[in-house]
Amino acid sequence: MPLAVPGLMRLQPLPELLQGYDTATQITALAHWLRHQPSPRSARVWIATGPDHTARAVVLARIAIGSQGIRVGPADWPTSSPSEHRKLLRDTLRLTLWRATGSTGAWLAPQVVARKRANCGV
């Protein structure tokens, strides 16, 4: 999922941001990285991803990054399919768990994590 952070002009992805292997862990990696940046909290993050994935990615980013006072918005806002609505609910619960405990709950499905990590090269 490409991310555009205004004011940051690096063209190469930062290693800290490549730690995620799914939407929830990518967003939490970005939230963690942003938390340690000296940038002003009035920043805005634009999420740019596939049309069917945008709604879910923006909601998750608003939970994780918006809680830091950073505004989050979509680069484009398409409508989601029914399967994306289910994933949105699932991942919203994961990010709520992350805010409360610091874990996305990925450890509950180690085989899925291993497959996703292998697919992403992480």
Side-chain angles (χ1 to χ4, degrees), residues 56 59-60 63 87-97:
R56 180 164 48 111
V59 168
L60 298 179
I63 292 169
K87 291 176 184 177
L88 173 60
L89 177 59
R90 177 201 66 202
D91 287 348
T92 299
L93 292 172
R94 285 182 68 192
L95 269 286
T96 303
L97 175 68

Side-chain angles (χ1 to χ4, degrees), residues 3-117:
L3 298 162
V5 182
L8 299 177
M9 301 309 292
R10 296 178 190 235
L11 297 176
Q12 295 297 318
L14 299 169
E16 300 89 359
L17 300 180
L18 297 175
Q19 298 304 309
Y21 49 85
D22 62 12
T23 305
T25 57
Q26 288 172 343
I27 294 290
T28 56
L30 177 63
H32 179 75
W33 181 80
L34 286 171
R35 187 178 305 123
H36 297 1
Q37 298 306 303
S39 63
R41 289 294 180 220
S42 61
R44 182 162 181 125
V45 174
W46 295 96
I47 304 295
T49 186
D52 212 29
H53 188 239
T54 300
R56 180 164 48 111
V58 169
V59 168
L60 298 179
R62 286 181 177 162
I63 292 169
I65 299 167
S67 65
Q68 298 179 38
I70 298 172
R71 294 175 306 191
V72 176
D76 188 21
W77 192 267
T79 56
S80 296
S81 68
S83 67
E84 274 299 305
H85 287 292
R86 286 188 295 277
K87 291 176 184 177
L88 173 60
L89 177 59
R90 177 201 66 202
D91 287 348
T92 299
L93 292 172
R94 285 182 68 192
L95 269 286
T96 303
L97 175 68
W98 173 78
R99 283 190 61 201
T101 67
S103 170
T104 62
W107 57 272
L108 294 170
Q111 297 86 2
V112 174
V113 170
R115 178 180 44 83
K116 286 183 176 184
R117 283 183 176 273

